[in-house]
Amino acid sequence: MTKTSSSPHQSDLATERVLVLDFGSQFAQLIARRVREQHVYAEIVRHNITVDRVRELAPTALILSGGPSSVYAEGAPLCDPAIFDLGIPILGICYGMQLMCQALGGRVDSHPVREFGRAQLKVTPAKESDDLFAGVPRETEVWMSHGDQVKLITDQFIPLASTVNCHLAAVKHRSRPLYALQFHPEVTHTPHGKTMLANFVTNVCKCRGTWRLGDFAERTIAQVRERVGNDRVICGLSGGVDSAVVAALLYRAIGPQLSCILVDNGLLRKDEEKSVVEEFTNHFKTDLHVVKAEGRFLSALSGVTDPQEKRRIIGHAFIDCFASEARKIQGAKFLAQGTLYPDVIESGAAQDGPADTIKLHHNVGGLPAELGFDLIEPLRDLFKDEVRQLGLQLGLPEEIVWRHPFPGPGLAVRCLGEITRDRLDTLREADAIVVAEIKAANLYRSTSQAFAVLLPVQSVGVMGDARTYDNALAVRCVTTDDFMTADWTHLPHDLLAKISTRIINEVKGVNRVVYDISSKPPATIEWE
């Protein structure tokens, strides 16, 4: 039977750790990331973890995440109320605040004015606010996302901050190390949120910050080497940074016992196959197998427009092609994949929690048991920026480490609507222009992800005094440090104009280019 193996349990490396109780928030992993920025290990656990299990794990602190439920609703996710008696620092965020206050005698109700988006926070000018709001302006912008709020607290709580529509936007307990925020400090839309979380970790929890990514790398290499023994590991390559770092990590651990497979599914970027072959035969000198499977994938995708169905089809076809090639490699027992924390949380596979599934990831969930491989996911607990740091530590060239992310299903989820070879070729050419111009403007490193999206929309245009009715194409560029939240990149207008002009003039079949100015949330980075 196939086993799923994630990265080594990082808590083994940490004397300080914070448990994040997930109540269904899409930002639970982001909270953990913010804590790790303070060099304190953080991990996600179920919202209903027992107090006995918490004692076993012996965390330095707990953070209660937000969530989509109402705490007073039937079936709402709850925590063991005994955790509030443990005597360790606890921070409740949004739903977590409401849960904490209700459990300790307060009242939570729906509010006639729902707050979704930016709000002005006023911090109470009192010494009680200093622990959490040290270094934060007394008036600052925060990101709200709630319809309920705490209406009543007991005398044991002290108000710390408010907004126009939320009188109790932050509170602390008088005698216990319990703090709560109605807004989300973990998202980039709260400019001083990182400072607030850092204050909680350092001022309240008294953490020294002893966790380091380098320790994780060395432990992972040692554990992979021990687990694999003399067997062979197969690594699926995509050309992206995640699979490259996995390959580099495995190469450091087991050297010539690593075989890599690239499935050319016809959904790769322009010249992607050529680039991967050069990198993984010259730089790594690995045993690289290239599977030509464009026809198979495009045939299976013919007529399919639903994005989730595209992902399912691509995932199944990938496994079939991969397995067929893997059977030709003698001694192969393990498959390594570049699954990251955001992949896990967005697929809903992080745990049996209440989080909504945003999209399916074809590399989350492991292989079918009948294939006979054990799964190794050494990056499963890491965020994208941590993966890049790890890649540099492993000696990967910067052009690989800083390459923009590319989705597992490839261009299929950037080619909205029907997938055809002609539409993919159109998208490939336009995408290459977007990336080339951003690189020429020296903005590639400061832009986290940039790509083109071919829309299932045609519009009227005029070219050479003749009427056209051709494709519309969107350009998507975002800036982020965690890929859980993102803002659209404010590219110079002359650069946008140059990109648009080149695409319309050089890419046959496109007569209109638009720029996507949506943030995440509420949008996702990819369109599908």
Side-chain angles (χ1 to χ4, degrees):
M1 182 174 178
T2 301
K3 303 172 187 175
T4 299
S5 174
S6 60
S7 58
H9 204 283
Q10 296 186 52
S11 58
D12 294 340
L13 307 173
T15 56
E16 303 171 330
R17 64 180 129 169
V18 173
L19 299 183
V20 179
L21 277 62
D22 183 10
F23 291 90
S25 173
Q26 296 302 327
F27 300 142
Q29 309 288 8
L30 184 52
I31 297 170
R33 180 66 194 97
R34 295 291 179 243
V35 174
R36 290 189 200 174
E37 288 174 355
Q38 305 306 312
H39 299 294
V40 175
Y41 174 69
E43 63 179 300
I44 311 299
V45 297
R46 287 181 54 85
H47 64 281
N48 57 355
I49 184 173
T50 66
V51 70
D52 289 337
R53 179 58 179 154
V54 173
R55 288 194 183 99
E56 288 177 19
L57 294 173
T60 308
L62 305 177
I63 297 180
L64 313 184
S65 83
S69 303
S70 293
V71 295
Y72 50 78
E74 184 178 354
L78 304 175
C79 64
D80 187 335
I83 67 170
F84 299 114
D85 298 323
L86 288 172
I88 62 174
I90 301 177
L91 174 65
I93 295 175
C94 196
Y95 182 90
M97 171 181 180
Q98 297 163 16
L99 187 64
M100 176 189 293
C101 292
Q102 177 177 269
L104 297 175
R107 191 181 82 241
V108 178
D109 290 321
S110 63
H111 194 272
V113 180
R114 294 155 62 91
E115 283 189 306
F116 292 95
R118 291 176 172 86
Q120 283 297 120
L121 184 79
K122 290 189 176 181
V123 179
T124 303
K127 65 178 183 179
E128 289 85 3
S129 304
D130 291 345
D131 285 350
L132 214 53
F133 294 103
V136 176
R138 294 291 123 171
E139 292 194 20
T140 184
E141 193 173 76
V142 296
W143 182 263
M144 289 285 195
S145 181
H146 68 99
D148 300 331
Q149 59 181 255
V150 177
K151 292 294 184 63
L152 180 68
I153 53 176
T154 69
D155 291 341
Q156 291 302 306
F157 279 96
I158 304 171
L160 300 181
S162 63
T163 69
V164 171
N165 294 312
C166 184
H167 176 62
L168 297 171
V171 299
K172 69 175 289 188
H173 198 277
R174 290 184 186 276
S175 58
R176 306 182 193 179
L178 307 179
Y179 296 75
L181 305 172
Q182 181 56 67
F183 55 90
H184 288 273
E186 70 273 24
V187 302
T188 55
H189 307 317
T190 299
H192 295 280
K194 290 184 180 181
T195 300
M196 299 172 198
L197 287 173
N199 286 338
F200 176 71
V201 170
T202 56
N203 296 346
V204 177
C205 303
K206 307 300 182 185
C207 290
R208 294 168 295 137
T210 57
W211 183 76
R212 293 293 184 272
L213 191 60
D215 298 332
F216 160 79
E218 292 307 314
R219 177 64 65 88
T220 302
I221 289 169
Q223 291 198 359
V224 167
R225 188 178 293 140
E226 180 181 358
R227 183 175 181 217
V228 170
N230 295 322
D231 292 313
R232 180 165 291 276
V233 178
I234 299 174
C235 179
L237 294 178
S238 66
V241 62
D242 304 335
S243 63
V245 173
V246 169
L249 193 69
L250 290 170
Y251 192 75
R252 177 77 66 86
I254 59 173
Q257 293 168 242
L258 173 65
S259 292
C260 296
I261 296 177
L262 170 66
V263 177
D264 183 358
N265 54 15
L267 305 170
L268 302 177
R269 290 171 286 197
K270 186 176 181 180
D271 296 328
E272 192 80 53
E273 180 192 330
K274 179 183 176 182
S275 172
V276 172
V277 170
E278 289 178 353
E279 289 165 0
F280 287 91
T281 54
N282 297 335
H283 183 79
F284 291 107
K285 303 191 183 303
T286 57
D287 175 35
L288 177 61
H289 302 245
V290 178
V291 181
K292 300 284 189 177
E294 179 185 37
R296 175 171 184 167
F297 278 80
L298 296 191
S299 176
L301 290 166
S302 178
V304 176
T305 59
D306 179 76
Q308 297 291 65
E309 187 61 20
K310 287 180 184 178
R311 289 175 178 271
R312 289 190 183 93
I313 289 171
I314 292 167
H316 289 145
F318 169 81
I319 288 174
D320 289 344
C321 291
F322 192 96
S324 177
E325 186 66 24
R327 291 188 191 102
K328 304 174 185 177
I329 301 174
Q330 303 241 335
K333 182 180 178 182
F334 299 92
L335 170 68
Q337 294 185 158
T339 306
L340 305 188
Y341 236 177
D343 298 338
V344 174
I345 189 63
E346 290 191 341
S347 69
Q351 53 180 310
D352 263 346
D356 288 337
T357 296
I358 301 301
K359 57 189 176 183
L360 296 179
H361 288 266
H362 80 279
N363 62 337
V364 174
L367 290 170
E370 61 268 18
L371 293 183
F373 291 110
D374 287 351
L375 189 60
I376 297 176
E377 295 177 307
L379 309 181
R380 189 182 175 92
D381 291 335
L382 300 185
F383 289 92
K384 180 67 72 172
D385 59 321
E386 293 175 316
V387 171
R388 294 192 195 281
Q389 293 174 37
L390 183 59
L392 292 173
Q393 290 180 16
L394 294 169
L396 282 172
E398 288 200 0
E399 58 268 24
I400 295 178
V401 170
W402 292 106
R403 180 176 293 162
H404 285 183
F406 190 57
L411 295 180
V413 293
R414 295 178 180 175
C415 185
L416 277 58
E418 186 178 4
I419 306 293
T420 66
R421 183 176 281 106
D422 287 344
R423 296 192 79 223
L424 289 169
D425 286 342
T426 297
L427 176 57
R428 243 186 293 270
E429 294 300 321
D431 184 76
I433 290 173
V434 171
V435 173
E437 289 301 330
I438 288 176
K439 284 183 175 179
N442 293 319
L443 294 174
Y444 189 75
R445 284 279 295 273
S446 59
T447 302
S448 305
Q449 199 165 352
F451 55 91
V453 180
L454 186 62
L455 306 179
V457 173
Q458 292 178 306
S459 67
V460 174
V462 178
M463 300 179 74
D465 295 326
R467 178 185 182 276
T468 63
Y469 190 61
D470 280 329
N471 294 296
L473 185 134
V475 174
R476 177 66 158 153
C477 300
V478 299
T479 302
T480 177
D481 61 358
D482 48 54
F483 289 87
M484 296 300 289
T485 63
D487 281 323
W488 60 278
T489 306
H490 294 241
L491 294 178
H493 289 181
D494 57 347
L495 175 58
L496 289 172
K498 188 173 184 180
I499 289 172
S500 175
T501 299
R502 280 199 60 192
I503 290 174
I504 291 173
N505 286 342
E506 299 176 30
V507 182
K508 185 178 179 181
V510 176
N511 68 356
R512 188 177 301 272
V513 175
V514 299
Y515 190 54
D516 183 350
I517 58 170
S518 308
S519 295
K520 177 186 180 181
T524 54
I525 294 176
E526 298 288 345
W527 278 48
E528 288 189 343

